[in-house]
Amino acid sequence: MFSKACKYAVKATIYIAVQSGQNTRTSLKDISAKIDSPEAFTAKVLQVLVKNQVIESLKGPLGGFFISNEAAKLITLSHVVYLIDGTETFNSCGLGLKECSECRPCPMHHKFQRIRSELKEMIEKTTIYELVLKVGEGESFLM
Amino acid sequence: MFSKACKYAVKATIYIAVQSGQNTRTSLKDISAKIDSPEAFTAKVLQVLVKNQVIESLKGPLGGFFISNEAAKLITLSHVVYLIDGTETFNSCGLGLKECSECRPCPMHHKFQRIRSELKEMIEKTTIYELVLKVGEGESFLM
DNA sequence: CATATAAAGGACAGTTTTGTCCGAAATTAT
DNA sequence: ATAATTTCGGACAAAACTGTCCTTTATATG
């Protein structure tokens, strides 16, 4: 469904936001330990998020990654997913037809489209902050 | 969502079933032309379907691939999808947690699980025959 | 039996995804 | 300034996925 890179990105973003709530920057090392991901690979993914201003970073001692509560309330799952995996999974034909629409659908179109719209709506409406709260309250886990 | 191999497999199975309705075997060449897929790669995918008795094949002139209407009524999208892509997409955690359940969920669990169950149910309940009818009636297309 | 046809199967190549390593650049503290 | 720390960025490597080519095997027909 989502690529590994994307799963790492989502979990990392959530974890960074949890830590940022305590106003502390989070190091790559800490992140990859807490979300159980390969450190160097996670670094690459986070660089994309930083470049696209989903999260912030600072080099040096006391450096690390950061995302404010305000930002976490504005950023949704879809922001991260679309950045890392692109939008094809959510917009192109489920069976790979070059053109697939109501007018000229693939045989799976109607059933598939309905479900995928729900998935799309879910990631577009779910904010990182919502997920942070669950982790913060110990209701949910990142590894 | 689905791999290319899986998309080819589904489209090929449907096309073979459409043709089998006229009681004619379908050649690989014909299949890959009609579903717009690379011939040799499609061959590999079809071999898996044959080995697992989703479709039948016969070598030689007048040879080709075949699936009876009766079989097409029993075989669902999930048969093909699980064979080619495996079940991980439909059973494992959306964020890649090794263990993820109601008791110990990832932050996306509840929202994700609901939608994925619908997707799972859809592919498990949709028969190939249903899709064949749509293509047969010119309502749906394979390329 | 000889020949033609079509799937089966093995080997291999290209591409994408995933993952690692290491030096460069920036920041903090001494 | 110097040293220590941490992200950034480039190069590279491994694995998975996609795709091709060619030989072998099975079947039908003359």
Side-chain angles (χ1 to χ4, degrees):
Chain A
M1 194 81 76
F2 306 116
S3 69
K4 287 191 175 186
C6 185
K7 293 172 187 170
Y8 298 152
V10 169
K11 287 185 286 189
T13 303
I14 295 170
Y15 181 66
I16 292 165
V18 170
Q19 295 303 106
S20 297
Q22 328 297 325
N23 244 308
T24 49
R25 290 198 183 81
T26 316
S27 73
L28 173 62
K29 200 168 192 171
D30 189 21
I31 294 167
S32 59
K34 296 296 169 40
I35 70 172
D36 188 28
S37 70
E39 198 173 316
F41 187 64
T42 306
K44 299 294 184 193
V45 176
L46 292 184
Q47 278 170 35
V48 175
L49 298 184
V50 170
K51 265 191 190 161
N52 289 275
Q53 300 166 340
V54 171
I55 59 180
E56 295 171 76
S57 73
L58 190 72
K59 295 180 187 176
L62 301 195
F65 298 90
F66 188 84
I67 178 174
S68 71
N69 273 347
E70 317 320 318
K73 284 175 189 168
L74 294 175
I75 290 169
T76 64
L77 274 178
S78 64
H79 281 105
V80 177
V81 171
Y82 294 163
L83 260 181
I84 306 298
D85 279 352
T87 59
E88 203 185 333
T89 308
F90 301 91
N91 291 325
S92 303
C93 172
L95 290 182
L97 302 218
K98 280 164 194 152
E99 302 297 332
C100 182
S101 60
E102 288 294 320
C103 306
R104 199 175 179 290
C106 77
M108 206 178 65
H109 186 81
H110 294 96
K111 289 184 174 188
F112 185 68
Q113 191 63 19
R114 207 199 88 250
I115 295 167
R116 191 173 58 178
S117 296
E118 289 182 40
L119 181 61
K120 206 173 162 180
E121 190 178 317
M122 187 274 274
I123 67 170
E124 287 179 356
K125 292 199 172 159
T126 304
T127 64
I128 296 297
Y129 188 71
E130 261 182 85
L131 306 177
V132 166
L133 290 180
K134 294 191 186 186
V135 175
E137 289 165 10
E139 288 175 20
S140 296
F141 304 86
L142 294 172
M143 70 172 284
Chain B
M1 193 80 77
F2 306 116
S3 69
K4 286 189 175 187
C6 185
K7 293 172 188 171
Y8 298 152
V10 169
K11 287 185 285 187
T13 303
I14 295 171
Y15 181 66
I16 292 165
V18 171
Q19 295 304 105
S20 298
Q22 329 296 325
N23 245 306
T24 50
R25 292 197 182 81
T26 315
S27 73
L28 172 62
K29 200 169 191 171
D30 188 21
I31 294 166
S32 60
K34 295 296 168 40
I35 70 173
D36 188 27
S37 70
E39 198 173 315
F41 188 64
T42 306
K44 300 294 183 194
V45 176
L46 293 183
Q47 280 170 34
V48 176
L49 299 184
V50 170
K51 264 192 192 160
N52 289 276
Q53 301 165 339
V54 171
I55 58 179
E56 294 171 75
S57 72
L58 191 73
K59 296 180 185 175
L62 300 194
F65 298 90
F66 188 85
I67 179 174
S68 71
N69 273 347
E70 316 321 318
K73 283 175 188 167
L74 294 173
I75 290 169
T76 63
L77 273 177
S78 64
H79 283 104
V80 177
V81 171
Y82 294 163
L83 262 181
I84 305 297
D85 279 352
T87 59
E88 203 186 332
T89 309
F90 302 91
N91 292 323
S92 302
C93 171
L95 290 183
L97 302 218
K98 280 165 195 152
E99 303 297 331
C100 182
S101 60
E102 288 295 319
C103 307
R104 199 176 179 291
C106 77
M108 206 177 64
H109 186 80
H110 294 96
K111 289 185 176 188
F112 184 68
Q113 191 63 19
R114 208 199 84 251
I115 294 166
R116 191 173 60 177
S117 296
E118 290 182 39
L119 182 60
K120 207 173 162 181
E121 192 179 316
M122 187 275 274
I123 67 170
E124 286 179 356
K125 292 200 171 159
T126 303
T127 64
I128 296 297
Y129 188 71
E130 261 182 85
L131 305 177
V132 166
L133 289 181
K134 292 191 189 187
V135 175
E137 289 166 10
E139 286 175 22
S140 296
F141 303 86
L142 295 172
M143 72 172 283

